[in-house]
Each structure stands twice: as C-alpha cells, then as structure tokens.
Amino acid sequence: MTEVLLLVGILVAVFVGYNIGGATTGPAFGPAVGAKVITKLFAAALMSVFFFLGAITIGPQVVDTLGTELVTDTAVFTMRSNVAVLFFIGGALFLGNYAGVPASTSMTAVGAISALGLATGELNWAILGRIVAWWIVAPVVGFWVSGVIGRYFYPRLNAWIAIEQDPDREDPMVTVTTNGGIPTIATSDDLGRRKTIGAAVVVVIGCLMAFSSGTSNIANAIAPIYGTGDVDMVTLILIGSAAVAVGAFTIARRTLDTLGNDITNLPLTAAIVVAVVSSAIVITLSWLGIPASFVIIATMSIVGLGWGRATRTTTLPGAARGEETTVSVGSLTAEEEGETPPEIGEESVEDIPRGSDLFDPSTTARVILMQNVVPVVSTVGAFLTFRFVPLF
C-alpha cells in the first residue's frame, strides 16, 4: 500500500511540475516572446535548461525550508497527506493555466502546506509570517520601480537602446539553426549591432529569471514528498524538472500570450526593463531564503511599466502661459531610432497614440483576480480536507 501511495504521490508531483512549467515560463520569457525576440519553442527550451540548473544548485535549500521548517513536526507529511497537498497545488495551478493566467506557484504551495499545518496544529507561524511579509512587499516594489521607470525614464532608455518592435514582423530576431547536427544561435540579417545586443540582453535576463524560478519553485512540487524521506533529493529534482519542461513546451503557450501580448504590447526596451526589475527582486528573495512569488513579481512589474507609460502627461500647445493644460499620454510612442525623445510635458498632441494598447486594464484585472483566486482555492480546499476528513 505504501508503494502505491508513493507512486501516486510522485505522479501528482509530476502534475504539479507540469503546471509550474506552464505558470512560470510566461513571466520569464513572455517579454522576449512578446517583443518577437525568440519563439515560444525556443523559450520553452531555455526555460527547461535554466530551471533545472537553478533547481539542482540552490533549489535544495528552499526544499528544506518548505519540507522541514514551515511545519513544526514533519510527521504530518505522510504519503496520504502529501498526495492531498500536491493534488490541491496541481489542481489550483491547472485552473490558472487553463484560464491563461500564470498563478503564483509559491503562494499556492505554501498555502496548501500551511493548511495542513494549521489543521494539524503544527504550523510554524513565525516562518509563515516572514514569507507572507515579503510576498506583500516584493510585488509593490516591482510595480512602483517599473512604474517610475515607465513614467520618467523610459523615453531616454528607448532612445539609448534604439530598438523598435515591428508589429508586422513575423520572424523572430533570434533563432536556432542546425549546422552539421550542432545547434547554433543565429540572428536576423536586419538587426544592427545595438538591436543584437538588446536582443541578447533580454534573452539572457529571461534565462536568469528561469534559473531563479528553479531555485524557488522546484520545492513547490517535491517538498512534501521529500519530507517523508522515501525518495532522495536529486531524484526528485530530476523528476520535477522534467515535468516542468513538459509544461513549458505545452500549456505555457497560453501564459506566454497573456504576459507577452494581452496585458501590454511590449517593445524590446520594455521587455528588458521588466526582466531586470523582476529578476533582481527574485534573486534577492532567493538569497534571503524566501520561496519567491515569482509570477506575481514579474506580472506586477509588467503592469507597473504599462501603467507608468500610460500615465505620462503632455502639455497641449497653444495653452496660455500660467494656464497650461495637461492630458494623459496613454503611453509613449516608440521613438524613431536616432531621434531625441521629448521630456515629460514637451510632447505634442500628435505624439499621443489613439487607442493605445500598451496597458489593458481589463486583462490586468483578470490576471490579478485569478492570481489571488488560485492560492485561495488551494489553501481553503486543503484546510477543509485535512480538518474534516478523518483519513488525513
């Protein structure tokens, strides 16, 4: 019976890993895909490789945190309870992925494990409070840092990088070709030196975000199983990482569309800003030993940048001195390469784009709603099960 439960537990862990791949690939490579730097297939391959590298190097520390510190007695991690915990984690994440909204795997997993600890009286409130405090602070920091950049510094950054996203472009800027059976990375012939550097930067930062995701999110799939002591760490990491790769190549296509296209139409400059801000925050949290809410931070960075660009103001020409009238710029137009961008308040009315799609409030509201609903479903469902079902 124990062997059967262990097999079921591993299968459910694989299901969780599959959904982690779907949920985290979008925030890591959505900006690069939305800016048409790389394809979804290439993004999935990079996600698979760098997630594993993060999981096998720093990931074990986070696994220990969730598997031994969040509850005061690891005896609660029986095979039966683990199957239930992983079931609620995987089911809730699948709900978000099905809706095309990447949910926070850390919030979902910590919620389910905390529900087990609460129902059994073994929850470590000090550890949970520390984790939740950082979850509140980090997305706010990501939103406002990106918002300030979008509102006050984006035009100068865009002029310096001098990269435009061509809406009619069909081919990605970076592709993988095979030369004698050896994969090689090639760039489009129409890219100049500065565009090539910009494309390389956004891909490298996406890889760094994938690495950071591996350090934090591998624990969400395997920590309950590891807590039983029946399977060693390396084996579980290999299984979990393989499941993440499957999710990245399949269900992640929907979240890549949401994060790269639906919330905000990201040019390459914006993609770089989002990647730098969110990856810096995630790395900092991982360094502190916090299971980072990777999806929330990256999503709020995208939202913050879109909001910042959408709320720039400009002075209407012809206004009387002392009676200047300002209007929202909706978003900044992408400056032509080589042109000097205007300062805030110096744009002309002709510079204001009509029907701008750089910030979509309705899609943003849907994303934020689902990102809160998914962890709640996992936490409440797990608590009710452990509290009222005698089997657990």
Side-chain angles (χ1 to χ4, degrees):
M1 182 65 177
T2 302
E3 290 77 10
V4 174
L5 286 174
L6 177 60
L7 177 60
V8 172
I10 291 176
L11 290 176
V12 178
V14 168
F15 179 66
V16 173
Y18 168 79
N19 283 283
I20 288 175
T24 58
T25 303
F29 291 101
V33 172
K36 298 183 180 179
V37 178
I38 58 176
T39 63
K40 294 178 182 178
L41 187 64
F42 193 12
L46 292 175
M47 182 70 192
S48 303
V49 172
F50 285 92
F51 183 96
F52 170 72
L53 292 177
I56 200 66
T57 54
I58 304 176
Q61 300 177 24
V62 185
V63 174
D64 286 330
T65 298
L66 292 185
T68 62
E69 296 182 12
L70 191 54
V71 294
T72 56
D73 185 1
T74 57
V76 299
F77 286 126
T78 65
M79 287 310 304
R80 292 179 178 178
S81 66
N82 288 340
V83 170
V85 166
L86 292 171
F87 171 80
F88 283 109
I89 296 172
L93 289 176
F94 181 79
L95 176 66
N97 287 329
Y98 182 79
V101 177
S104 170
T105 55
S106 292
M107 292 178 66
T108 304
V110 171
I113 296 174
S114 297
L116 171 61
L118 181 62
T120 57
E122 301 294 342
L123 178 61
N124 190 329
W125 287 97
I127 296 297
L128 179 63
R130 180 168 175 259
I131 293 173
V132 172
W134 279 110
W135 282 354
I136 295 173
V137 171
V140 174
V141 172
F143 177 89
W144 283 109
V145 170
S146 298
V148 168
I149 293 174
R151 184 174 175 85
Y152 297 105
F153 302 106
Y154 185 85
R156 292 293 174 185
L157 290 173
N158 193 60
W160 179 69
I161 296 174
I163 297 177
E164 292 285 345
Q165 177 181 355
D166 183 1
D168 298 324
R169 186 186 187 95
E170 296 182 358
D171 297 328
M173 299 180 188
V174 181
T175 57
V176 177
T177 60
T178 55
N179 184 10
I182 301 176
T184 57
I185 298 177
T187 58
S188 300
D189 296 334
D190 60 340
L191 295 183
R193 178 182 178 184
R194 300 179 76 177
K195 284 187 176 181
T196 301
I197 294 175
V201 168
V202 75
V203 172
V204 168
I205 294 175
C207 293
L208 185 60
M209 294 178 71
F211 177 89
S212 300
S213 177
T215 64
S216 178
N217 287 319
I218 189 63
N220 302 326
I222 68 173
I225 300 294
Y226 178 72
T228 65
D230 293 328
V231 185
D232 66 275
M233 178 81 75
V234 174
T235 299
L236 287 173
I237 288 177
L238 290 172
I239 294 173
S241 297
V244 169
V246 175
F249 277 100
T250 55
I251 199 171
R253 292 178 175 273
R254 300 192 65 175
T255 56
L256 281 168
D257 285 335
T258 299
L259 270 295
N261 299 316
D262 292 348
I263 291 181
T264 176
N265 183 19
L266 290 177
L268 188 56
T269 304
I272 292 175
V273 171
V274 169
V276 169
V277 172
S278 55
S279 61
I281 295 174
V282 169
I283 290 173
T284 301
L285 291 179
S286 298
W287 182 264
L288 296 173
I290 301 296
S293 184
F294 173 83
V295 170
I296 302 293
I297 295 170
T299 300
M300 292 308 294
S301 295
I302 293 176
V303 173
L305 182 65
W307 173 83
R309 296 177 64 195
T311 55
R312 283 175 57 86
T313 58
T314 182
T315 302
L316 290 174
R321 179 174 298 181
E323 298 179 356
E324 294 181 336
T325 303
T326 60
V327 297
S328 173
V329 175
S331 66
L332 291 182
T333 55
E335 291 81 4
E336 295 295 333
E337 184 170 348
E339 291 185 3
T340 301
E343 298 290 349
I344 293 179
E346 295 180 359
E347 301 93 341
S348 66
V349 173
E350 288 74 14
D351 291 329
I352 304 175
R354 284 11 179 216
S356 173
D357 61 351
L358 285 172
F359 180 63
D360 187 342
S362 62
T363 302
T364 299
R366 176 173 64 89
V367 169
I368 295 176
L369 176 64
M370 287 300 299
Q371 287 183 340
N372 285 276
V373 167
V374 169
V376 169
V377 169
S378 173
T379 303
V380 173
F383 174 76
L384 293 177
T385 300
F386 296 127
R387 180 67 178 83
F388 297 108
V389 178
L391 180 62
F392 300 107

